[in-house]
Amino acid sequence: MTSSALVSSSAELCPDRTAEVSRTTAETRITVRVNLDGTGAASLHTGIGFFDHMLDQIARHGLIDLQIDCDGDLHIDGHHTVEDVGITLGQAFARAVGDKKGIRRYGHAYVPLDEALSRVVVDFSGRPGLHLHIPFTAGSIGGFDTQLTYEFFQGFVNHAGVTLHIDNLKGINAHHQCETVFKAFARALRAALERDPRAAGVIPSTKGSL
């Protein structure tokens, strides 16, 4: 095989897994850029400090380069911003992952933080589904309404086309509860999106499509 053929074959097996998605409504204006094969670099501007901190966990622990710029109606509350970032991020993931050839598809992670422990399991199935249990011990964390955690993940799964199970198994401090969830989510994503060298170019489904 010639060197040019090797380059061509490599490009086919390892396509660029990046995407940029912009979404504008009467409530938010959002641009998301992702690189699923990044180093964990992040540039995050949602106007909600704790939410930016959680999104940074996705980038850092998922080794996903992530840029999010959102101008939302925070004078009302954070609901539209958090939900719409989830939607736009899901759209970006769906575009970046492409036909899912060669990925492991499934990923799971347990992550502790002091007294808190969370488990996240993800399947890039093409079927949206969210099952979430986080018994938060506080209604807000640094101005972030903990109820919006559900809205973020619901928006993500609906538009990324994934099945996602999230369980906070232990926790007293709400910050720790939330952070373990986002870190475990990142680790599960990393595992699911990893290329499987034993199944290069193969869609991981008996149906032949996802």
Side-chain angles (χ1 to χ4, degrees), residues 120-160:
V120 174
V121 185
V122 66
D123 175 12
F124 275 79
S125 60
R127 298 184 302 277
L130 175 63
H131 306 272
L132 180 148
H133 177 68
I134 311 173
F136 277 116
T137 59
S140 64
I141 310 167
F144 175 79
D145 182 348
T146 54
Q147 294 184 88
L148 298 183
T149 307
Y150 176 88
E151 303 302 331
F152 169 77
F153 285 113
Q154 186 68 75
F156 179 85
V157 302
N158 283 345
H159 293 270

Side-chain angles (χ1 to χ4, degrees), residues 23 27-28 30 48 51 70 73 77-91 144 147-159:
R23 185 175 188 271
E27 299 164 340
T28 58
I30 302 172
I48 305 173
F51 186 39
C70 177
D73 55 0
D77 68 6
H79 191 288
H80 300 141
T81 290
V82 174
E83 179 181 27
D84 289 4
V85 166
I87 290 170
T88 312
L89 185 62
Q91 292 171 336
F144 175 79
Q147 294 184 88
L148 298 183
T149 307
Y150 176 88
E151 303 302 331
F152 169 77
F153 285 113
Q154 186 68 75
F156 179 85
V157 302
N158 283 345
H159 293 270

Side-chain angles (χ1 to χ4, degrees), residues 15-189:
D16 182 29
R17 298 196 299 177
T18 64
E20 178 177 333
V21 176
S22 294
R23 185 175 188 271
T24 299
T25 71
E27 299 164 340
T28 58
R29 291 175 295 281
I30 302 172
T31 297
V32 169
R33 298 178 182 87
V34 299
N35 177 1
L36 303 184
D37 301 304
T39 61
S43 175
L44 307 163
H45 305 94
T46 67
I48 305 173
F50 183 77
F51 186 39
D52 285 350
H53 181 45
M54 294 301 98
L55 294 170
D56 194 29
Q57 307 309 314
I58 297 174
R60 186 69 55 86
H61 294 281
L63 290 182
I64 296 163
D65 291 346
L66 185 58
Q67 181 177 340
I68 299 177
D69 294 292
C70 177
D71 180 15
D73 55 0
L74 295 179
H75 62 285
I76 297 176
D77 68 6
H79 191 288
H80 300 141
T81 290
V82 174
E83 179 181 27
D84 289 4
V85 166
I87 290 170
T88 312
L89 185 62
Q91 292 171 336
F93 264 71
R95 186 175 298 179
V97 76
D99 60 13
K100 305 173 191 172
K101 287 182 178 178
I103 68 168
R104 295 193 184 276
R105 175 178 168 178
Y106 302 100
H108 72 276
Y110 287 81
V111 169
L113 175 55
D114 296 344
E115 89 298 343
L117 174 66
S118 292
R119 175 186 63 216
V120 174
V121 185
V122 66
D123 175 12
F124 275 79
S125 60
R127 298 184 302 277
L130 175 63
H131 306 272
L132 180 148
H133 177 68
I134 311 173
F136 277 116
T137 59
S140 64
I141 310 167
F144 175 79
D145 182 348
T146 54
Q147 294 184 88
L148 298 183
T149 307
Y150 176 88
E151 303 302 331
F152 169 77
F153 285 113
Q154 186 68 75
F156 179 85
V157 302
N158 283 345
H159 293 270
V162 303
T163 300
L164 184 64
H165 288 253
I166 297 173
D167 291 281
N168 172 239
L169 304 174
K170 299 178 181 179
I172 297 171
N173 182 290
H175 185 135
H176 294 171
Q177 289 177 291
C178 199
E179 189 163 333
T180 56
V181 163
F182 274 83
K183 285 179 175 176
F185 175 60
R187 288 281 174 168
L189 286 176

